[in-house]
Amino acid sequence: MAPQYDAIVVGAGFGGMGAGIQLDRLGLREFVILEREDDLGGTWHVNRYPGLAVDIASVTYSYSFEPNPNWSRLFAPGTELKQYAAHVADKYDLRRRMRFGRSVSGARWDDEHEQWVVTVDDRAAGSGETLTARYLLAATGFLSQPYTPPFPGIDAFRGRILHTTAWDDDYDLRDRRVAIIGTGATAVQLVPKVAERAAALTVFQRTPIWVVPKVDTAIPKAVRRVFARVPVTQKAARLLNTSALELLMVTGVLHFKQARLGNRAAALLAKAHLRAQVRDPETRRKLTPHYDFGCKRPTFSNTYFRTFNDPHVRLETGSIDHLDAGGIVTADGHRTEIDTLVLATGFNLWDVNFPAFEIIGRDGLNLGKFWRDHRFQAYEGITVPSFPNFLSLNSPYSYSGLSYFTTIEAQMKHMARLFGELSRRGEQVFEVTEAANTRFLDYVTAKLDSSVFYAGDCRGARSYYFNQHGEAALLRPNSTVTTHREAVSFPLDDYAYGRDALR
């Protein structure tokens, strides 16, 4: 029984679109992209909260092969990222391959027919269907499963609850008494905007975040015209920004043991920024992290800290005990009366996101259970033993650099090398070997010993970089240059091909 498709891609964000572009280049043109939301763009479609913007300069947060000369700012607002996603989908003929409102509930490898059997729920039709494909590519994103903490009494709250991933554009915050729970990168963008409108705002902080100044400005139209007419100028801007990010990532985070002074300098910059912006010493103390810079993803802002000078804004660091009909009560008994609750509580990576749906490989092996029972792992951050013809584009040890597009393009290169060898051999099935996977896991684990995650002090960071086993299994401990070099030069014998892959 021949499969219906060459490939099924799950997710229509930038990762899924990158995979689709590469499949086209490889000649695997009969593919479908399944997306549970009603439009493309991934996180840039789901998130619409006030203040949404990219936290990596736009010249770097984009495909290198598809530069956009029309960014309005150095750090583009979320609406422009959504527009860019739509442009890419149209230019590379991806939109006709996309099926929206399709939620994948499971996928199973069919060894007899050498194909993936994928179960799909059609939200609009209220029914399900089964699709088959030679290859399965999971591009569900790292931040795709929103987390709502099970606060006692939250069901009793009679006011309005907004999650940042399901923002109501029609809801008016004017004259509202608002509480925001969470102080991650999303909250850093959101808090100043809510404070502009709310009558009273209380920010509930569990863990403070490192924040450094944001060198953001509008990009003049004249500069945009130069970018459009002389593309090499935008490439130069990209190279400059990427190099700065690489210096921060490699020296400050991955090589913490060898470059502690660089890490300390970044922390001092953030502390100086905090001191310059917040007048009250006690508030400054509460906003100061007590873990090393880089343990939790830092962010950029020129307005977040200043917001806490406003008389109608209060920082609450007491732990939440429960909610009642009209407020939040902390463990010390203090009650904050509110009518609007905003959840900027982030995403659940390690419990439900790896993987985001059930994936069953050879011999009935469940990928989620395998990762949780035998450590989170993926060869070169993309393939897993016992899962033939499967590419996990958001997986352990895959995230390289600070821009997600670094990861996407490295994986596209890996696909090109792997499928090129498949074609050369005249085969259609691949699987990474156990030996290659173990060697890669040992390699990245050893390299991470020098990182801030293990050599620094990350106690109390509560970082999503760490999984439930205490391992920092998200980031790949390489420079961008090294990651891309390895994507085009990994040993081809690290994979088994054809019937050898199924033994």
Side-chain angles (χ1 to χ4, degrees), residues 163-447:
H163 197 288
T164 53
T165 59
W167 194 263
D168 184 352
D169 297 322
D170 296 326
Y171 186 70
D172 193 349
L173 291 169
R174 283 181 297 184
D175 302 323
R176 301 288 186 180
R177 294 165 298 174
V178 183
I180 295 179
I181 298 178
T183 50
T186 293
V188 168
Q189 294 181 342
L190 178 63
V191 164
K193 294 297 183 181
V194 173
E196 291 175 1
R197 304 185 71 81
L201 171 61
T202 303
V203 179
F204 284 80
Q205 172 186 276
R206 186 176 67 163
T207 307
I209 184 173
W210 289 108
V211 181
V212 295
K214 188 174 185 177
V215 185
D216 189 20
T217 184
I219 300 177
K221 290 183 179 180
V223 173
R224 285 183 254 170
R225 285 195 294 268
V226 171
F227 282 167
R229 293 172 183 172
V230 190
V232 69
T233 58
Q234 191 170 13
K235 288 183 179 180
R238 182 188 181 96
L239 177 62
L240 180 64
N241 183 255
T242 300
S243 299
L245 292 176
E246 196 74 356
L247 181 65
L248 174 65
M249 185 68 178
V250 174
T251 61
V253 176
L254 298 180
H255 291 170
F256 173 85
K257 186 183 291 185
Q258 297 85 1
R260 291 176 187 265
L261 287 179
N263 186 281
R264 298 287 185 265
L268 286 173
L269 172 64
K271 288 181 179 179
H273 183 49
L274 172 59
R275 176 173 288 275
Q277 291 214 321
V278 178
R279 292 190 294 265
D280 178 57
E282 179 62 15
T283 303
R284 286 202 302 267
R285 184 189 67 79
K286 291 179 178 179
L287 288 168
T288 302
H290 296 288
Y291 54 86
D292 282 327
F293 189 94
C295 291
K296 186 182 180 80
R297 184 181 173 107
T299 192
F300 306 84
S301 177
N302 299 327
T303 57
Y304 175 68
F305 286 146
R306 287 205 311 260
T307 304
F308 293 100
N309 295 324
D310 295 341
H312 70 297
V313 177
R314 185 171 70 89
L315 179 66
E316 174 61 71
T317 57
S319 59
I320 295 173
D321 183 77
H322 68 276
L323 280 75
D324 59 29
I328 300 177
V329 181
T330 52
D332 60 4
H334 184 270
R335 182 176 184 275
T336 302
E337 190 171 335
I338 62 170
D339 53 50
T340 304
L341 174 62
V342 177
L343 299 174
T345 45
F347 298 84
N348 192 331
L349 270 72
W350 301 105
D351 292 327
V352 297
N353 195 66
F354 287 109
F357 56 93
E358 184 179 69
I359 300 175
I360 307 297
R362 284 196 297 111
D363 302 320
L365 185 62
N366 183 299
L367 180 58
K369 189 175 188 304
F370 169 74
W371 274 341
R372 286 157 184 80
D373 291 348
H374 300 92
R375 302 176 63 189
F376 288 85
Q377 53 195 279
Y379 172 74
E380 296 282 331
I382 193 169
T383 52
V384 185
S386 297
F387 291 84
N389 289 8
F390 172 63
L391 300 173
S392 179
L393 305 183
N394 53 290
S395 53
Y397 302 110
S398 64
Y399 205 112
S400 177
L402 284 175
S403 171
Y404 182 32
F405 285 85
T406 298
T407 302
I408 294 170
E409 293 192 33
Q411 292 177 330
M412 291 172 69
K413 291 177 180 178
H414 190 107
M415 287 174 60
R417 180 167 171 80
L418 173 58
F419 282 89
E421 180 64 8
L422 264 182
S423 177
R424 189 187 71 79
R425 292 171 179 248
E427 301 288 0
Q428 293 183 314
V429 179
F430 67 82
E431 184 183 316
V432 67
T433 67
E434 291 276 3
N437 179 71
T438 299
R439 187 175 68 248
F440 179 78
L441 182 60
D442 291 343
Y443 163 70
V444 292
T445 302
K447 290 208 69 174

Side-chain angles (χ1 to χ4, degrees), residues 450-461:
S450 297
S451 72
V452 69
F453 307 121
Y454 299 139
D457 182 3
C458 290
R459 291 171 298 176

